[in-house]
Amino acid sequence: MSTSTVGHAVDERTYAAYSRPLWWRVVMTREFAMIVLLGVVYLWATGNVASFDGPLALYYLFLDIAPILMIALPMTLIIITGEIDLSVASTMGLSSVLVGIFHADLGLSIPAAAVCALAIGTACGALNGVLVGYVGLPSLAVTIGSLALFRGIAGGLLGTEAITDYPEQWTDLAKERLFGPVEGGYSGGWLGPVTEPASYPLVLVPIVVLAVVFGVLLHATSFGRGIYEIGLNEQAAKFSGVDVARTKLLLFAIAGAVSAFAGVYYTLRFGSARGDNAEFLELQVIAAVLLGGVSIFGGRGALPGVLAGVLLIGIVSSALRLEDVSSNVINIVIGVLLVLSVISTSLLAWISGLRVARTKSDHPTKGNQR
Amino acid sequence: MTDLLVRPTSESARQRLVKGALRSREIAVFVILVALIAVATVRSPNFLVGSDGWRDLLVTPSILLLLAIGQTVVIITRNVDLSVGSTVGLTAYLVGRLFVDQPGIPIVVVALIGMLFGAALGLVNGVLVAFGRVPALVVTLGTMYIYRGVFLEWAGSDRINAGDMPSGFLRLGTEQFLTIPVLTLVALVMLVIVGYCLRSLRWGRELYAIGSDPAAARLYGLPVTRRVLGAFVICGALAGLAGVFYAARYGTVSSGAGRNLELEAVAAAVIGGVAIFGGSGTVWGAAIGAFLLVTIDRVLPILGIPDFWQRAVVGGLIIGAVALDRVLSLRRERQLRQARDDARSGS
Amino acid sequence: MAEAASGHPPILELSEVAKSFGPVLALRSGRLEVGPGSIHALVGENGAGKSTLVKVIAGVYRRDGGGFRFRGADVDFGSTGESKNAGIAVIYQEPTLFPDLSVTENIFMGRQPTRSGRRIDYPAMYAEAERIFGRLGVAIDPRRIADGLSIADQQIIEIAKAISLDATLLVMDEPTAALSSVEAERLFTIARALRDEGRAVVFISHRLEEVFGLCDTVTVMRDGAYVGTRAIAETSTDEVVSLMVGREVADLFPKAEAAIGDVVLEVDGLTAAGEFHDIGLTVRAGEIVGLAGLVGAGRSEIARAVFGVDGYDAGSVRMNGVPVPPRSPRASIRAGMALVPEDRRQQGLVIDQSVARNVSAAIRGRLTTLGLLLGRAENRVAAPWAGRLEVKTSALDMDASTMSGGNQQKVAIAKWLATEPKLLIIDEPTRGIDVGTKSEVHRLLSDLAGRGMAVLMISSELQEVLGMADRVYVVCEGRITAELGRDEATPDAVMHAATHVGGHLAGATHADEKVLA
Amino acid sequence: GGDDDGGSGGGGGSAEITLLPKNLGNPYFDASRTGAEKAAGEFDGEVTEVGPDQAAPDAQVSYINTAAQQGVGALVVSANDPTAICDALNEARDAGVKVVTFDSDTDPECRDVFVNQADAQGIAKAQVDLIAEQIGDKGKVAILSAAANATNQNAWIKLMEEEIAANHPNIELVDTVYGDDDDQKSFDETAALLSRYSDLAGIISPTTVGIAAAARYLSTSEQKGKVALTGLGTPDQMRAYIKDGTVTSFALWNPEDLGYLAAYTAEALINDDITGEEGDTFEAGELGEYTVGADGGVLLGEPFVFDETNIDDFNF
Ligand SMILES: Nc1ncnc2c1ncn2[C@@H]1O[C@H](COP(=O)(O)OP(=O)(O)OP(=O)(O)O)[C@@H](O)[C@H]1O
Ligand SMILES: Nc1ncnc2c1ncn2[C@@H]1O[C@H](COP(=O)(O)OP(=O)(O)OP(=O)(O)O)[C@@H](O)[C@H]1O
Ligand SMILES: [Mg+2]
Ligand SMILES: [Mg+2]
């Protein structure tokens, strides 16, 4: 065998691009399983839960999970690099407080206040990013610290007071429906509210935009490939010219910005800025991301799965609430889902391990044996 | 050609001790703690002198102390247990229930049951992590939700009031032996036992080895699965005991019992110099870390810093601690490199 | 044979042992018989399956097939613990230490001496460690933590570990790889002592003169199969070599003459404390420059610093006269550099990623359309390069982890050739690659040089260096100790420069002579 | 009473009432649920208690939304935040749900009626008077409150400050700390207070969790008997401490009656007996007739003072 053709465009052998048919690559993924499960649960809920198919159901559902949806996006990228950010909810609370203060005390307009809050939120994220990316500290420890730090500042700034007066137009905007208000009592066929535009809150627009941006960033750019490589093998990523530190800094900064944005939304939706706003949201976000099939060790996972994960948690809790199930049982259900999901991942990994072994025997590619 | 090797230290044992002490993280944190207490005492004498002050100074950290010990054992093996807070709540309620349903049940028995129950909860985590080969962070995050949910569902609306528990048990919360509160004594005993095991028993050292390099541990033939399982059981048992403490000290068990203690426990360990990725750190450090965290909470108001800023200070402290660790280890690396050079030029 | 001679039944009997890793058939029919009171050499090319055989003996891997008898009884170790208890001590090729623990604890982990109450007796443990170090004639502070030990020191600890076990069978997989002659000699003394106590020793090395100096029997392996066993007394290095290589060695190194062009890489006074000092070297277009030396000499560190993965304290790197900024692989790539690192599993590839993504990893930036990177684009560049290097895989989306070592190395090389570099730095190009692939890689290298590419080749295989390089720099303990032209570069000259001392490699002139791998 | 025309309600069939406390597992609200269920039994309505496991406004909003979707007859809620849940409540009202707040009010425009346990003035004055009497109307006092943002507590604290400033010149309010209605935090805050102010004369804790935790600490402290403690507590929780002399007296209304009245108010709204207009009157079972006061307030009555003479007559 001679490789004397190196450099010539003549290819001695040709390769199939994929070892599996398209349907296999689509269907045999954890994301797909998540989405199917989501669909099943949704249909079950619309069928069996009284007033779940009312036009209000999805509207409130989305309003509730909006912050989780937003923050889950950057969190997914961070976890795929093998890091984690526990400080997002604190950043969110801080930005909520800041919006209040900038608006009420400094008399800034809401947009101006929001921009300032966003800037500071980004700075908070950047702080994490520098400590993790450049100083090389473990993100778990760092963000446990900044979780307390940012929350402490938020509490310290406002103390007992809650800033509650915001212009109507802005607070309404946070709850605005797409295409005008809902006609009372509407309820369509089994697809029900899905055909009812007014059952979607306006906040879905920025979320969808963000989701698309993050999806493209992660799955269809060089930067995104880098994210996966860092998660799979940081050293090798460095060797191929990926700027690991910078990537991490960027991701944490983005997480800060998005959290801050979520904070602004939160403030306007509830019309109240308090030091303890959105406390403990971080665990819900992380739970949703992991449920969506992202590996805590990094390198594995995809955005569609995560979105499905968030929606699943949202639908389950909203449906169970409508059934007057107590919040405690809902938490148990979510916990069980989470544990099952990771166990299923290791099961899937094990199975696919078998599959790889099989494919090897399918294609006897003689390695070193001659 | 032996010059590729590191020369033996010319230090005497004493020099080594002194140097070690100066470098040790435990000492550093302890100094901060003492300084803090000193300042607080100057500001308001009965923080330390008043018999209440003295007692509270010692007894308040005892619960977090237990949790920090357990958390350290788990972290050393390169794992983490986020479910301890929920375990505390669940066990505390179990204890209360026992007293309500089994009037006259001996306190010791209850304490033991509490520990066993905690150990069982830990076992669940351990099995999932060690056998299921799933990341501890995720599993224990899940069981955190589950345990707390079970607790609140079980407790429903009937919570445990001081009246429901025998005064003998409640007195434990404040009783003192040679001015040292009983709870603190028990916690310290646990600290000494675990500290001893980690330092002087084979399985203790194996925990460090596992956390230091799991792959190497397997290659070496250490019983990794069994040890990790054990670590979680110990952590759970200590959390269970902490639950007993909670019931005894606060006399009431309501829905909030033990909430958010998990992150505090991790923080205490980190501040105490326990490496979050396993392999190094001592329960002594974690214990001092726990004392520091709790004491800060109690001292800052005395220093006139309002409640609300306390968490900020704690957060800054945690970040400072890990950053310090990093700086020190970088320094050490540089010294080792230098050592290699000297060894070479020595030939 | 030795066993027969000593008349005792063999302690260790392996027959027709097979072990494969997915597609890689690491061991086809491993066979080994070791008697008591014997030092038994196991030799073979890289990738012959020696280490795999060792790991089967140690219980790291379970054999797929074949017989395994130890002290006359059939055994099947499921874990290294079992083999240890059975009385087998193993020194693995790659050190496996617990960085956070003291060297003493590393030696005694799991079986520390205890006092009453199963309490670890630290003083006794330190004393014992001191004793063993004394016996090895080395001076290591027993309380020092293992983190930061040099490769050689790590190897010493491994040896101490094995000795302290005082086992009936001691297996040493290339223990002398990173040792100086003095240290090696001490080790041999101990090995002989053990033999005289009636224990069995298996010794793996690529330094045949060590084999002939120390062992009484030698078993040769090739491509995962048993080739033959000889009593040292009744064989010669030449015979062993022909058994090992099993073919004319000459065509392993098809060095084609190439037109040497202008200087491409220029390194000046490069220094990094603790790693290397005042490195100066140049590589010209069309030239293959060898970087020889012992493991631990610091060659990889030099390569990494030049490429910008690691930083350096002083010195400069220039490509075609233009300074290359430090600490930025990206900039180096842009400047036309490529580095195929030493360790393909950890550095060269993301082995859990598809062939296509690996091959295109270093040039992703150029494949985007409107900033978007699509799988199609990656496949488009991956396919031809995989073809040119004859990578053996079913499809481009197969994970690299499913491929054999040789094919992984090809993918790693393809990844860097895809950047169409002016300079190719290649560290241990054929480590753990079988003879066939090895000659392909060599042909490829000289091919590239012929096409005017500058090549800097780090290799621990003396034969490879001598066979391929136009010019050789020898690195010893982080300093360049010699620069030799093709004609001056004799094994003796290189070894002398690599170790400061000639002697201990007397007659190290066999065509197969390797410093180590 | 709405027993006769219970059918005409917005809930359809019997009056469906959703009870939404600040959080589950709080004995004070358990008592008011008992009351509400008693009332529901009388006018054959149906009371469902739902709520978050932590006293956070956003969590409460989800439950309000849920109630709106379910189209229950009425929502009886104790607000974790006066504004944060406002819009949600109004949306519920647009969906035809009657909204009654009790214990902790929202902004008046977000609910139909507020069932007031006792007017804020009265509560503040009662507690100040109690402490003044116990410490001889002079000395340093501190307040141990619930969450930093708790509406009613903050309102009372403000009024207490004014009351002290106006009528008790020799009493100095030195500090206000927040136990977040969490046993452990309240307990530790009490300890901190005592070590901070060696010469503290008394503590006012206008929250049932707080006063119980504070009492628990004091009862084991050398300050027992030296530092007076009063505030708002439930007899069951406080009985032990009244008996051992840690606490001489504390105030509270009957949370059971509060729930009972809230349920009847809701029922009256459902049946359109009242609209929440000032002057509307309705029958509240055994509690008799009540009248809606200024901006939709219904007043349960004056706070009741418990001490060792009467504590055994109550269990809630
Ligand atoms: N874990 C593994 N997964 C896949 N292939 C492996 C693995 N370990 C070894 N191999 C392959 O098996 C073959 C034999 O490897 P082995 O390490 O036994 O050779 P060796 O004789 O020890 O070589 P050397 O002299 O370089 O140590 C090589 O082709 C190697 O690439
Ligand atoms: N794990 C380690 N910890 C500390 N120092 C190390 C370690 N590995 C190598 N070194 C030091 O770094 C230098 C280079 O080691 P390395 O093995 O990379 O050299 P090398 O010439 O690349 O060897 P190879 O022949 O394997 O390429 C040596 O001084 C060695 O002592
Ligand atoms: Mg080998
Ligand atoms: Mg190297």
Side-chain angles (χ1 to χ4, degrees):
Chain A
M1 38 193 192
S2 143
T3 47
S4 60
T5 57
V6 172
H8 304 317
V10 187
D11 298 348
E12 298 180 348
R13 31 193 307 154
T14 55
Y15 297 88
Y18 300 102
S19 56
R20 295 283 177 179
L22 181 64
W23 69 266
W24 175 286
R25 283 176 283 124
V26 172
V27 174
M28 300 306 284
T29 61
R30 202 160 172 300
E31 287 66 39
F32 192 80
M34 246 353 258
I35 292 167
V36 170
L37 179 59
L38 177 64
V40 172
V41 171
Y42 177 75
L43 290 185
W44 167 81
T46 42
N48 308 352
V49 179
S51 72
F52 181 84
D53 62 351
L56 288 174
L58 282 180
Y59 171 71
Y60 287 137
L61 175 67
F62 285 122
L63 276 187
D64 283 350
I65 63 174
I68 301 185
L69 265 176
M70 293 180 205
I71 301 177
L73 300 171
M75 183 69 81
T76 303
L77 273 57
I78 288 181
I79 295 184
I80 288 181
T81 61
E83 302 292 347
I84 193 165
D85 186 351
L86 293 175
S87 70
V88 283
S90 299
T91 312
M92 197 175 153
L94 180 56
S95 100
S96 164
V97 165
L98 289 172
V99 171
I101 289 177
F102 286 135
H103 177 65
D105 302 358
L106 308 186
L108 294 186
S109 73
I110 290 294
V115 170
C116 300
L118 240 62
I120 297 180
T122 315
C124 292
L127 173 67
N128 289 331
V130 170
L131 290 172
V132 173
Y134 287 92
V135 185
L137 304 179
S139 52
L140 186 59
V142 167
T143 54
I144 283 181
S146 48
L147 173 145
L149 180 62
F150 301 155
R151 181 63 68 183
I153 296 174
L157 286 175
L158 263 195
T160 69
E161 65 183 299
I163 298 175
T164 55
D165 55 343
Y166 303 93
E168 275 290 321
Q169 90 230 46
W170 290 108
T171 49
D172 291 350
L173 186 68
K175 292 184 288 299
E176 190 53 69
R177 288 172 160 84
L178 283 170
F179 327 116
V182 56
E183 299 79 37
Y186 174 95
S187 174
W190 65 270
L191 266 174
V194 178
T195 60
E196 169 57 79
S199 50
Y200 300 101
L202 185 64
V203 64
L204 273 184
V205 173
I207 288 180
V208 169
V209 173
L210 276 176
V212 171
V213 170
F214 276 93
V216 171
L217 189 69
L218 178 62
H219 295 297
T221 66
S222 180
F223 184 76
R225 294 282 196 276
I227 291 177
Y228 278 99
E229 282 188 358
I230 293 173
L232 287 170
N233 181 342
E234 189 165 327
Q235 210 183 353
K238 255 195 206 118
F239 271 86
S240 347
V242 176
D243 190 334
V244 175
R246 197 169 121 267
T247 309
K248 287 182 178 174
L249 171 57
L250 270 173
L251 290 184
F252 276 96
I254 294 173
V258 175
S259 308
F261 181 76
V264 176
Y265 160 78
Y266 189 103
T267 316
L268 294 180
R269 181 191 170 193
F270 295 120
S272 163
R274 303 167 27 151
D276 62 351
N277 272 355
E279 213 168 356
F280 312 123
L281 196 81
E282 66 275 356
L283 293 183
Q284 293 179 46
V285 173
I286 292 169
V289 171
L290 297 175
L291 184 60
V294 177
S295 158
I296 193 75
F297 298 130
R300 308 220 174 284
L303 220 45
V306 171
L307 296 179
V310 182
L311 287 172
L312 184 63
I313 289 184
I315 290 183
V316 166
S317 16
S318 133
L320 291 183
R321 264 205 308 274
L322 282 164
E323 292 282 284
D324 289 330
V325 174
S326 97
S327 49
N328 310 324
V329 177
I330 297 178
N331 284 344
I332 298 180
V333 172
I334 293 175
V336 171
L337 272 177
L338 186 56
V339 172
L340 286 183
S341 75
V342 273
I343 292 185
S344 74
T345 347
S346 27
L347 271 180
L348 228 75
W350 182 69
I351 291 164
S352 66
L354 297 185
R355 205 193 83 227
V356 168
R358 229 184 303 108
T359 51
K360 283 171 194 159
S361 46
D362 294 350
H363 320 273
T365 65
K366 310 196 185 58
N368 298 358
Q369 40 181 302
R370 285 167 301 134
Chain B
M1 282 298 301
T2 41
D3 53 20
L4 240 182
L5 302 168
V6 176
R7 299 228 163 280
T9 53
S10 48
E11 302 167 332
S12 75
R14 189 201 275 102
Q15 281 170 314
R16 197 182 293 114
L17 262 179
V18 174
K19 266 216 179 134
L22 289 183
R23 257 193 257 98
S24 100
R25 168 61 156 284
E26 289 77 0
I27 305 284
V29 181
F30 185 72
V31 169
I32 301 179
L33 178 59
V34 172
L36 209 70
I37 296 175
V39 176
T41 315
V42 172
R43 277 298 196 84
S44 94
N46 60 354
F47 177 79
L48 180 62
V49 194
S51 77
D52 275 359
W54 170 248
R55 186 193 68 202
D56 297 336
L57 178 68
L58 293 177
V59 79
T60 316
S62 57
I63 290 173
L64 186 59
L65 183 60
L66 287 174
L67 295 179
I69 299 171
Q71 195 62 252
T72 304
V73 175
V74 172
I75 292 180
I76 281 177
T77 65
R78 203 177 278 193
N79 286 295
V80 66
D81 185 348
L82 293 182
S83 70
V84 287
S86 305
T87 306
V88 169
L90 193 45
T91 332
Y93 186 73
L94 172 78
V95 168
R97 275 273 124 233
L98 283 173
F99 283 124
V100 175
D101 303 344
Q102 260 74 3
I105 179 173
I107 293 171
V108 183
V109 177
V110 172
L112 283 180
I113 295 178
M115 273 186 95
L116 285 179
F117 185 66
L121 296 181
L123 185 67
V124 175
N125 292 330
V127 168
L128 287 170
V129 172
F131 289 102
R133 291 286 168 90
V134 288
L137 187 82
V138 188
V139 168
T140 55
L141 180 59
T143 49
M144 176 186 94
Y145 280 116
I146 298 174
Y147 293 168
R148 179 155 300 277
V150 172
F151 161 33
L152 298 183
E153 212 33 39
W154 180 26
S157 59
D158 63 342
R159 70 181 224 162
I160 307 296
N161 286 328
D164 306 337
M165 290 183 275
S167 56
F169 179 68
L170 294 176
R171 233 180 292 114
L172 273 184
T174 51
E175 220 158 68
Q176 283 152 292
F177 176 78
L178 307 172
T179 78
I180 311 287
V182 177
L183 295 190
T184 315
L185 274 181
V186 178
L188 290 177
V189 170
M190 289 298 160
L191 172 66
V192 172
I193 293 176
V194 176
Y196 171 83
C197 295
L198 288 185
R199 167 107 179 93
S200 300
L201 292 190
R202 283 176 180 173
W203 63 262
R205 303 314 298 169
E206 289 173 14
L207 292 183
Y208 280 92
I210 291 165
S212 188
D213 184 343
R218 284 216 155 71
L219 185 60
Y220 192 92
L222 296 180
V224 176
T225 309
R226 214 163 69 235
R227 293 285 174 260
V228 170
L229 200 65
F232 274 98
V233 171
I234 292 175
C235 183
L238 288 172
L241 186 58
V244 179
F245 278 27
Y246 188 101
R249 172 126 174 92
Y250 298 115
T252 53
V253 182
S254 58
S255 56
R259 188 172 255 125
N260 316 327
L261 282 178
E262 52 276 342
L263 288 189
E264 271 195 60
V266 177
V270 169
I271 290 179
V274 178
I276 200 80
F277 286 134
S280 74
T282 66
V283 284
W284 315 112
I288 302 171
F291 262 92
L292 185 60
L293 271 185
V294 173
T295 311
I296 285 181
D297 261 4
R298 300 180 53 237
V299 167
L300 289 186
I302 295 181
L303 303 186
I305 304 174
D307 290 31
F308 309 101
W309 291 104
Q310 289 172 17
R311 295 186 70 179
V313 175
V314 171
L317 195 77
I318 295 172
I319 295 178
V322 278
L324 180 74
D325 276 354
R326 179 69 178 158
V327 172
L328 291 181
S329 74
L330 284 178
R331 211 210 282 90
R332 205 190 65 223
E333 247 169 60
R334 220 178 301 107
Q335 286 166 343
L336 287 168
R337 284 234 189 74
Q338 208 48 56
R340 270 216 294 284
D341 269 2
D342 304 345
R344 286 170 179 178
S345 49
S347 67
Chain C
M1 305 205 316
E3 290 83 334
S6 58
H8 300 290
I11 286 185
L12 177 71
E13 296 168 87
L14 292 167
S15 52
E16 303 308 314
V17 173
K19 173 70 189 171
S20 60
F21 303 96
V24 185
L25 189 52
L27 259 184
R28 277 186 293 150
S29 57
R31 192 172 135 199
L32 187 61
E33 279 199 2
V34 186
S38 145
I39 303 181
H40 195 116
L42 181 60
V43 299
E45 298 235 301
N46 307 112
K50 306 182 295 293
S51 299
T52 308
L53 193 69
V54 168
K55 289 183 175 166
V56 168
I57 296 173
V60 178
Y61 301 146
R62 259 211 167 81
R63 63 190 190 282
D64 300 342
F68 181 179
R69 294 169 65 77
F70 182 64
R71 298 161 104 171
D74 283 304
V75 291
D76 179 20
F77 299 132
S79 82
T80 53
E82 295 178 22
S83 65
K84 229 185 254 165
N85 299 336
I88 299 176
V90 179
I91 299 173
Y92 300 98
Q93 189 169 4
E94 54 289 324
T96 56
L97 298 177
F98 305 117
D100 298 301
L101 303 183
S102 76
V103 292
T104 306
E105 287 200 277
N106 267 285
I107 296 174
F108 294 101
M109 179 54 64
R111 31 181 206 85
Q112 299 94 332
T114 56
R115 285 206 200 125
S116 60
R118 317 217 318 288
R119 161 154 145 266
I120 295 176
D121 186 345
Y122 278 95
M125 194 161 73
Y126 288 127
E128 177 64 11
E130 297 266 20
R131 211 178 54 67
I132 296 171
F133 288 148
R135 194 169 161 196
L136 286 168
V138 301
I140 298 179
D141 174 5
R143 289 179 173 75
R144 170 196 206 294
I145 63 165
D147 190 16
L149 281 178
S150 78
I151 299 278
D153 297 345
Q154 291 177 23
Q155 199 55 263
I156 298 268
I157 304 299
E158 289 294 336
I159 294 165
K161 237 195 240 176
I163 291 176
S164 71
L165 267 171
D166 91 284
T168 30
L169 173 65
L170 171 60
V171 184
M172 304 191 284
D173 191 350
E174 300 189 26
T176 56
L179 299 193
S180 72
S181 54
V182 185
E183 293 148 9
E185 258 321 314
R186 290 224 183 75
L187 176 60
F188 298 159
T189 326
I190 292 160
R192 293 194 183 92
L194 293 173
R195 176 194 59 192
D196 301 339
E197 293 168 16
R199 308 173 195 279
V201 178
V202 174
F203 177 75
I204 300 176
S205 172
H206 290 285
R207 297 180 179 167
L208 286 193
E209 84 289 348
E210 290 180 353
V211 168
F212 278 76
L214 175 68
C215 309
D216 45 48
T217 320
V218 56
T219 293
V220 181
M221 294 183 67
R222 188 197 316 145
D223 307 326
Y226 169 85
V227 180
T229 300
R230 303 279 185 277
I232 288 293
E234 303 152 15
T235 185
S236 68
T237 44
D238 298 332
E239 186 191 10
V240 173
V241 172
S242 53
L243 286 173
M244 276 169 59
V245 182
R247 50 144 73 181
E248 270 312 301
V249 182
D251 70 339
L252 251 180
F253 303 107
K255 174 74 174 109
E257 287 311 319
I260 308 289
D262 332 340
V263 174
V264 176
L265 175 70
E266 224 177 328
V267 176
D268 245 344
L270 207 64
T271 300
E275 304 293 353
F276 50 82
H277 294 274
D278 191 25
I279 302 299
L281 50 79
T282 60
V283 186
R284 298 169 167 278
E287 186 182 37
I288 298 183
V289 173
L291 207 55
L294 297 179
V295 168
R299 296 159 304 164
S300 297
E301 277 62 18
I302 295 171
R304 293 160 54 109
V306 168
F307 189 65
V309 178
D310 299 344
Y312 45 83
D313 306 334
S316 71
V317 177
R318 263 185 257 97
M319 281 287 289
N320 306 97
V322 186
V324 181
R327 273 201 167 286
S328 165
R330 190 169 284 193
S332 308
I333 295 172
R334 233 182 271 107
M337 257 193 241
L339 169 61
V340 181
E342 183 170 27
D343 175 350
R344 51 172 181 265
R345 287 171 161 273
Q346 287 310 315
Q347 307 167 335
L349 298 173
V350 178
I351 61 167
D352 295 327
Q353 220 171 37
S354 72
V355 175
R357 287 193 177 187
N358 270 301
V359 173
S360 57
I363 54 167
R364 269 196 243 106
R366 308 177 203 164
L367 303 181
T368 58
T369 47
L370 311 171
L372 291 192
L373 177 67
L374 304 174
R376 219 182 305 107
E378 289 172 314
N379 294 335
R380 218 183 304 109
V381 291
W385 281 110
R388 285 167 209 177
L389 292 176
E390 299 191 325
V391 174
K392 301 185 185 82
T393 178
S394 56
L396 294 173
D397 70 341
M398 294 299 283
D399 282 358
S401 56
T402 67
M403 309 173 71
S404 74
N407 279 294
Q408 285 176 0
Q409 185 69 338
K410 286 180 180 178
V411 174
I413 295 174
K415 160 180 169 180
W416 287 108
L417 292 186
T419 66
E420 270 140 18
K422 295 194 205 68
L423 167 73
L424 178 66
I425 307 175
I426 186 161
D427 192 353
E428 304 291 357
T430 59
R431 176 173 283 178
I433 289 180
D434 61 82
V435 180
T437 320
K438 189 183 278 184
S439 59
E440 286 176 46
V441 171
H442 290 152
R443 193 171 290 104
L444 170 64
L445 287 180
S446 73
D447 220 20
L448 293 167
R451 213 165 259 95
M453 190 182 291
V455 178
L456 179 62
M457 181 183 75
I458 299 175
S459 174
S460 305
E461 259 187 86
L462 189 48
Q463 185 193 20
E464 188 170 66
V465 177
L466 301 181
M468 298 301 300
D470 297 295
R471 211 147 43 84
V472 180
Y473 290 99
V474 186
V475 181
C476 177
E477 288 173 19
R479 294 174 190 280
I480 290 188
T481 49
E483 175 182 359
L484 309 164
R486 190 169 178 69
D487 37 12
E488 323 159 66
T490 66
D492 291 325
V494 174
M495 285 315 301
H496 181 278
T499 57
H500 285 326
V501 289
H504 87 284
L505 287 176
T509 50
H510 302 285
D512 62 279
E513 176 54 55
K514 297 181 203 141
V515 177
L516 42 82
Chain D
D3 318 52
D4 44 344
D5 58 356
S8 73
S14 64
E16 279 184 57
I17 298 174
T18 297
L19 183 66
L20 178 54
K22 285 181 174 176
N23 64 319
L24 297 181
N26 181 330
Y28 171 86
F29 290 112
D30 298 334
S32 28
R33 192 195 61 220
T34 319
E37 277 164 351
K38 178 147 159 276
E42 289 170 12
F43 56 77
D44 92 274
E46 185 192 334
V47 170
T48 344
E49 186 191 35
V50 297
D53 54 349
Q54 266 171 303
D58 52 346
Q60 226 169 5
V61 165
S62 307
Y63 284 93
I64 298 170
N65 295 342
T66 308
Q69 295 170 60
Q70 292 169 321
V72 296
L75 185 60
V76 178
V77 49
S78 171
N80 276 328
D81 183 298
T83 20
I85 66 170
C86 241
D87 297 315
L89 286 178
N90 280 329
E91 285 164 16
R93 292 165 81 195
D94 298 342
V97 180
K98 299 284 191 271
V99 172
V100 177
T101 55
F102 76 111
D103 172 65
S104 169
D105 195 11
T106 60
D107 306 349
E109 65 275 11
C110 320
R111 41 80 177 164
D112 300 302
V113 178
F114 170 47
V115 177
N116 197 345
Q117 51 271 50
D119 75 309
Q121 281 296 352
I123 295 171
K125 187 165 189 324
Q127 298 182 68
V128 173
D129 292 346
L130 281 174
I131 201 73
E133 167 193 332
Q134 291 175 25
I135 65 173
D137 202 5
K138 66 166 152 37
K140 294 182 175 173
V141 298
I143 293 177
L144 169 65
S145 180
N149 308 76
T151 327
N152 41 357
Q153 269 83 9
N154 286 345
W156 297 332
I157 292 172
K158 211 167 126 293
L159 291 168
M160 284 195 269
E161 284 163 349
E162 292 167 6
E163 170 70 15
I164 291 176
N167 308 332
H168 304 275
N170 301 332
I171 295 183
E172 179 194 1
L173 182 54
V174 290
D175 202 346
T176 303
V177 295
Y178 300 89
D180 298 343
D181 270 352
D182 169 65
D183 302 309
Q184 183 176 0
K185 185 140 194 298
S186 311
F187 188 96
D188 295 338
E189 287 294 349
T190 313
L193 269 181
L194 290 177
S195 67
R196 221 175 308 160
Y197 306 99
S198 41
D199 54 350
L200 197 65
I203 300 177
I204 306 175
S205 180
T207 162
T208 59
V209 179
I211 192 172
R216 163 86 181 126
Y217 180 84
L218 268 178
S219 67
T220 67
S221 148
E222 62 182 351
Q223 307 280 17
K224 174 177 170 182
K226 301 206 193 84
V227 176
L229 171 66
T230 188
L232 307 175
T234 64
D236 280 352
Q237 280 177 275
M238 300 302 293
R239 190 168 287 107
Y241 309 116
I242 288 281
K243 298 234 182 273
D244 72 9
T246 313
V247 179
T248 46
S249 61
F250 62 94
L252 194 68
W253 47 90
N254 184 332
E256 224 170 290
D257 290 352
L258 186 61
Y260 184 85
L261 176 57
Y264 264 105
T265 319
E267 193 250 1
L269 282 165
I270 293 171
N271 300 336
D272 305 320
D273 300 349
I274 61 172
T275 61
E277 286 309 307
E278 180 157 9
D280 290 358
T281 66
F282 64 100
E283 278 295 326
E286 63 194 23
L287 288 180
E289 186 184 78
Y290 279 87
T291 311
V292 180
D295 54 31
V298 172
L299 187 60
L300 175 61
E302 283 309 305
F304 182 86
V305 174
F306 302 87
D307 53 29
E308 73 270 63
T309 62
N310 61 16
I311 188 142
D312 288 329
D313 314 344
F314 303 86
N315 52 358
F316 58 81

